[in-house]
Amino acid sequence: MQSGLYEYKIFGGLADCPPKLCVDVYMDLNFRKQWDQYVKELYEKIYDGEKVIYWEVKYPFPLSNRDYVYIRECREMDVDGRKIWVVLAQSVSVPQCPEKPGIIRVKSYKQSLAIESDGKTGSKVYMYYFDNPGGMIPSWLVNWAAKSGVPAFLKDMQKACRNYSKSI
């Protein structure tokens, strides 16, 4: 087993999920609790005038869950006539969100997400993701996340996009 820093770059497509819908689904924390099986707790609060997100992620037994405290921003951009939605997220330290016993706080987290049309009815998705999960993460779990977890997340997100209009 080894511990280290984890960095991912993801390039994928979500067929039949227009970019605006993908962004709406991705940004909707309440809806995410319904479709993301790894969410234990997820909410947004305002501290010192800034929207801060708390997210606890379920890890498989015998590992401890991880939690994140972060800020994020979404912008719609026009790049040479192409509409691109960009979501940036980064961990922050907020005294009002202290660490909880038995849960490992991920103190170093950064994510950049860009979504644009695939030219048809779907979206192209580009994500850069970095975090330091802390503790000892077995290599089998890291390999699973890279090979199976990320594609499964994209499939879950695609399914969530299809069900989103029903949940509003």
Side-chain angles (χ1 to χ4, degrees):
M1 291 205 300
Q2 64 188 46
S3 179
L5 304 179
Y6 302 91
E7 191 172 27
Y8 307 92
K9 286 183 184 168
I10 301 159
F11 301 95
L14 294 170
D16 299 321
C17 297
K20 177 74 171 99
L21 176 60
C22 286
V23 171
D24 288 346
V25 166
Y26 191 78
M27 296 298 287
D28 188 329
L29 299 181
N30 285 325
F31 185 56
R32 178 141 185 191
K33 290 184 240 183
Q34 295 173 39
W35 65 266
D36 186 341
Q37 62 182 329
Y38 299 104
V39 170
K40 169 95 168 130
E41 197 175 346
L42 181 63
Y43 59 83
E44 188 174 67
K45 281 193 175 171
I46 296 178
Y47 299 112
D48 300 325
E50 190 158 47
K51 281 186 189 174
V52 175
I53 296 169
Y54 175 84
W55 177 34
E56 183 183 338
V57 180
K58 295 177 198 168
Y59 267 58
F61 179 82
L63 301 173
S64 299
N65 285 357
R66 302 299 193 267
D67 69 2
Y68 297 74
V69 176
Y70 65 98
I71 53 172
R72 73 173 176 180
E73 187 175 342
C74 178
R75 294 230 174 122
E76 185 182 321
M77 305 173 85
D78 189 305
V79 181
D80 299 327
R82 291 165 40 210
K83 260 191 187 179
I84 301 175
W85 285 262
V86 176
V87 180
L88 302 176
Q90 184 171 316
S91 53
V92 290
S93 180
V94 178
Q96 298 95 322
C97 280
E99 293 184 40
K100 298 178 180 179
I103 300 170
I104 296 175
R105 173 68 44 94
V106 177
K107 296 183 178 103
S108 187
Y109 160 69
K110 196 171 200 169
Q111 181 184 35
S112 308
L113 174 70
I115 300 175
E116 71 171 326
S117 171
D118 64 1
K120 301 184 217 59
T121 58
S123 300
K124 289 193 276 187
V125 180
Y126 312 92
M127 183 189 290
Y128 164 81
Y129 181 99
F130 164 86
D131 77 10
N132 179 357
M136 297 296 283
I137 305 288
S139 54
W140 67 262
L141 183 58
V142 174
N143 292 335
W144 174 86
K147 290 183 183 139
S148 305
V150 171
F153 175 80
L154 288 174
K155 280 197 179 92
D156 289 347
M157 178 135 172
Q158 191 167 21
K159 190 176 171 188
C161 285
R162 290 192 189 112
N163 294 325
Y164 191 58
S165 58
K166 296 173 195 163
S167 76
I168 297 176

